[in-house]
Amino acid sequence: MLAALNGKKRYNLKADVKRLMEEHNAEFVWCETVGEKLTCFEEFLILNEKRATERGIQSSVARDSFRQHHRRVIENLPNARIYCLRLDGDTIAVVYGFLFAARFFYYQVAHDPAYGHLSPGKVLLFRVMTVCAEQGCKEFNFLQGNEAYKSFWADQSRPLFQLKLEKDNWRVWLLRRFNRTKNWLKTIRDRSHHGH
């Protein structure tokens, strides 16, 4: 797996892993029971909120409907996977995803911004990828989105397409206008939060 990374990335990743796992004695936790998964999911929510607060953004996982839905998913879907990284008993990073047909579908990572200097998200992703490879996974899928950190790991991507079939009436026209305005406002909000 490391062979796919260029020399500098490989060197930096090894240094990050060594610093956190060996020098700071971080613990990698693979949640196996539903109870363990739900406990770590609650920690995932807390870390996600901390990160959103630090960045000054509204997190999509803050919605109660999201939380309730994913609790039910974790309770009822054995393919749900949650992995944690703990330091001195505190959870500092969580990866949430799904394992299907020898493929890991990475949903999201959350980490405590107080430990950002130790790259806990990157180290945990590396450990999760290692476990997946050992279990015979043929693909680690980052799903949709072009977040910059994904290019660290992936050397290729697949284009995604969306096809919408709509009637041509006033309701559809109004809905399109509403969605365009909503997306425009979101873009303005995101730019103002990131100083652009």
Side-chain angles (χ1 to χ4, degrees), residues 102-145:
R103 289 171 176 82
F104 184 81
F105 296 90
Y106 160 87
Y107 186 73
Q108 203 169 38
V109 65
H111 75 271
D112 190 331
Y115 296 94
H117 63 287
L118 295 173
S119 303
K122 185 192 296 183
V123 171
L124 181 56
L125 270 173
F126 171 72
R127 294 301 303 263
V128 172
M129 288 178 187
T130 303
V131 166
C132 288
E134 290 168 355
Q135 293 179 333
C137 281
K138 296 178 179 14
E139 179 180 307
F140 193 96
N141 191 317
F142 279 102
L143 301 178
Q144 69 181 13

Side-chain angles (χ1 to χ4, degrees), residues 65-177:
S65 59
F66 173 94
R67 294 169 180 231
Q68 293 304 324
H69 171 76
H70 284 279
R71 286 182 186 115
R72 286 191 303 273
V73 166
I74 291 165
E75 289 171 346
N76 297 297
L77 187 65
N79 304 72
R81 296 286 188 267
I82 298 186
Y83 304 91
C84 301
L85 203 56
R86 293 200 174 119
L87 189 59
D88 299 325
D90 294 328
T91 298
I92 62 169
V94 179
V95 165
Y96 175 36
F98 303 91
L99 184 65
F100 289 105
R103 289 171 176 82
F104 184 81
F105 296 90
Y106 160 87
Y107 186 73
Q108 203 169 38
V109 65
H111 75 271
D112 190 331
Y115 296 94
H117 63 287
L118 295 173
S119 303
K122 185 192 296 183
V123 171
L124 181 56
L125 270 173
F126 171 72
R127 294 301 303 263
V128 172
M129 288 178 187
T130 303
V131 166
C132 288
E134 290 168 355
Q135 293 179 333
C137 281
K138 296 178 179 14
E139 179 180 307
F140 193 96
N141 191 317
F142 279 102
L143 301 178
Q144 69 181 13
N146 61 352
E147 292 84 358
Y149 74 90
K150 292 180 182 180
S151 65
F152 177 87
W153 302 102
D155 59 358
Q156 56 184 305
S157 63
R158 295 183 194 119
L160 296 176
F161 300 96
Q162 183 178 31
L163 174 65
K164 285 185 177 183
L165 301 175
E166 300 172 337
K167 288 183 176 182
D168 192 19
N169 62 34
W170 69 270
R171 288 184 187 105
V172 173
W173 180 87
L174 190 60
L175 181 61
R176 275 195 304 255
R177 290 284 185 210

